[in-house]
Amino acid sequence: MHDHRRLGRELELFDTDPLMGAGLPYWLPDGATVRHTLEEYVREAERRAGYRHVYSPVLGKRELYEISGHRDHYGEDMFPPMALGAEQVLLRPSLCPHHALIYRSRSRSHRELPLRLAEVGGMYRSEPSGVLGGLTRVRSITLNDAHVFCTPEQAVGEARAALELIRRAYQDLGIRASRHRLSLPGAGGKYVADPELWRRATALLREVLDGSGLPYEAAEGEAAFYGPKIDVQITDPAGREATLSTVQIDFHQPERFDLHYIGPDGARHRPVMVHRSVIGSLERAVAHLVETHGGAFPAWLAPVQLAVLPVAREQAGAAHALAARAVERGLRAEVVEPGRGTLAARVREARLVPYQAVIGAREAAAGLVAPRLRDGHRPGPLPAEELLRRIGDRVAARGTALWEGRP
């Protein structure tokens, strides 16, 4: 069983320091590479799906979160206010109030809808010390978040499209959803008191799930304070379940922020706000990827994609030339020098790297390399350019297959 906390330190992906504080991990170079690649992947997937990316600050005035309802309904999970002159500001617990302000920064026409705003942004939760652990429960969170502002008639289609984005991302990442949950309010929780808005949002989410053909279970007490949500659940190797991705339909915040658009009739209408996160928090996503793959990430996501192994020092020049060509092609490559041990020892050292290229005297003389795949497959000697092309094709294709024609 893989534990991301142990593997994260062994593979030098992330760590913590008491001087930074509990629940505030830092990312080491290889972990930062994985995280950055994930960010690039999701931004490109969102761009192709019609999203426009924004940046917003991690601080906001107290009044902002009072309007959104976070202070009333979510205050115990927020950090205390900080004095800033005569005002009080807070670290944000969510990005949605900021995106609501971006939407209302000017008048909107129905012709602009749906308006899809996305951000990979930081937020902060005042988690108790006892629940913190590795990357799965942290106080500083980087969320792949987005909010679609649309007409009521567009809400189901937008939420369904978000579920499809999630499905494709899981396929490319080599992970799977253990189940889908319709999360509803429960007794005793701090929820917005507007039964009609809850009824409408729940009916639309059921329509989304039924139309998607996904089996799901309803669970009371798991809703957001402002509305129901679809939670995409994952299960780690120890059998622990968590939410990674979400899709929500929200009538509450558009009302609280007095959002509107001008309809075809020239009148003001209230938009619907669809919240969605394709891969959730980057911290939890990386933790799950480490545990699912045991550190053997899909080739497109691996910190090092190609390890070049010269058999002897005489082939070091050819090895560095190959690595430089790989880097020029946008691949992440490094040379594992003979001084780091025997060839067999270096092959073991690079066992998590998707591709190895061994260069001996014969290969160097002929301009060839002997590739080894992480799954044990050895395609036979190839010209260096052909190997780089094949690796580049698999990286560009995403997914988990290491070689064309192999699963």
Side-chain angles (χ1 to χ4, degrees):
M1 183 177 69
H2 303 301
D3 185 328
H4 83 277
R5 293 167 297 183
R6 177 181 58 80
L7 276 174
R9 288 171 175 83
E10 288 179 4
L11 301 177
E12 298 187 6
L13 300 176
F14 71 92
D15 211 337
T16 57
D17 191 292
L19 279 177
M20 288 191 189
L24 301 170
Y26 59 84
W27 298 81
L28 296 163
D30 279 356
T33 297
V34 173
R35 170 176 163 163
H36 181 70
T37 304
L38 270 177
E39 290 181 18
E40 288 185 323
Y41 167 80
V42 77
R43 284 195 184 101
E44 178 59 20
E46 289 168 340
R47 187 193 65 78
R48 291 196 305 269
Y51 286 81
R52 306 189 70 183
H53 290 90
V54 299
Y55 290 104
S56 59
V58 299
L59 290 169
K61 289 174 61 175
R62 178 175 182 151
E63 181 184 1
L64 171 62
Y65 307 111
E66 289 173 346
I67 292 173
S68 71
H70 284 83
R71 282 291 293 171
D72 289 339
H73 301 281
Y74 205 72
E76 62 190 25
D77 294 303
M78 298 174 65
F79 282 98
M82 295 174 280
L84 190 63
E87 299 177 341
Q88 287 189 326
V89 295
L90 295 97
L91 289 167
R92 67 178 174 193
S94 177
L95 280 70
C96 42
H98 295 244
H99 289 189
L101 295 185
I102 291 173
Y103 175 87
R104 80 173 197 183
S105 61
R106 64 170 176 82
S107 179
R108 305 285 178 179
S109 164
H110 67 97
R111 296 182 183 88
E112 297 179 69
L113 305 185
L115 177 64
R116 307 178 184 101
L117 300 180
E119 180 175 1
V120 178
M123 61 186 196
Y124 298 85
R125 303 282 173 88
S126 181
E127 298 277 13
S129 298
V131 304
L132 299 173
L135 295 177
T136 55
R137 291 291 291 270
V138 294
R139 289 171 170 155
S140 174
I141 302 166
T142 308
L143 188 66
N144 153 233
D145 204 8
H147 299 92
V148 182
F149 300 88
C150 61
T151 69
E153 295 76 20
Q154 294 168 333
V156 168
E158 290 299 314
R160 196 171 290 157
L163 281 178
E164 176 58 20
L165 272 177
I166 293 168
R167 185 197 66 78
R168 289 204 303 268
Y170 283 27
Q171 182 177 351
D172 288 343
L173 291 166
I175 61 178
R176 67 180 187 87
S178 54
R179 68 187 179 105
H180 291 75
R181 185 178 73 191
L182 177 59
S183 295
L184 304 172
K190 290 186 176 181
Y191 300 106
V192 171
D194 193 324
E196 177 58 19
L197 294 187
W198 283 95
R199 186 198 65 76
R200 290 173 63 196
T202 301
L204 290 177
L205 286 180
R206 287 191 185 276
E207 185 178 342
V208 170
L209 286 164
D210 292 339
S212 299
L214 294 169
Y216 65 93
E217 303 165 18
E220 294 186 357
E222 300 293 342
F225 73 84
Y226 49 80
K229 56 194 175 91
I230 297 171
D231 287 327
V232 183
Q233 301 297 102
I234 55 171
T235 303
D236 70 13
R240 295 180 294 248
E241 188 181 83
T243 301
L244 186 60
S245 312
T246 62
V247 179
Q248 307 165 36
I249 291 179
D250 176 11
F251 292 98
H252 169 71
Q253 292 199 62
E255 186 173 290
R256 293 296 294 263
F257 285 99
D258 191 26
L259 305 184
H260 64 271
Y261 63 91
I262 305 302
D265 57 359
R268 289 160 51 112
H269 298 267
R270 186 81 69 206
V272 178
M273 196 170 173
V274 177
H275 307 236
R276 54 107 287 223
S277 181
V278 174
I279 56 171
S281 83
L282 295 179
E283 291 79 12
R284 179 168 288 178
V286 171
H288 189 63
L289 285 164
V290 169
E291 296 189 344
T292 297
H293 298 296
F297 296 104
W300 65 273
L301 193 59
V304 178
Q305 295 165 324
L306 173 64
V308 187
L309 291 81
V311 173
R313 294 186 186 278
E314 291 75 14
Q315 291 88 52
H320 282 281
L322 175 61
R325 287 156 69 186
V327 171
E328 287 176 0
R329 285 174 169 262
L331 299 174
R332 297 185 287 273
E334 68 173 29
V335 177
V336 188
E337 301 277 5
R340 288 161 68 170
T342 65
L343 178 62
R346 287 180 285 142
V347 167
R348 287 194 299 273
E349 179 186 341
R351 66 191 180 281
L352 297 180
V353 177
Y355 305 98
Q356 298 178 8
V358 177
I359 303 178
R362 284 183 297 180
E363 286 83 13
L368 301 174
V369 295
R372 297 170 179 239
L373 275 59
R374 183 174 58 200
D375 62 6
H377 180 54
R378 298 189 188 185
L382 291 172
E385 279 301 311
E386 182 177 349
L387 175 63
L388 295 182
R389 178 186 63 78
R390 285 175 175 264
I391 294 174
D393 287 348
R394 296 320 309 159
V395 168
R398 304 293 201 280
T400 56
L402 293 178
W403 203 251
E404 187 175 355
R406 291 178 61 82

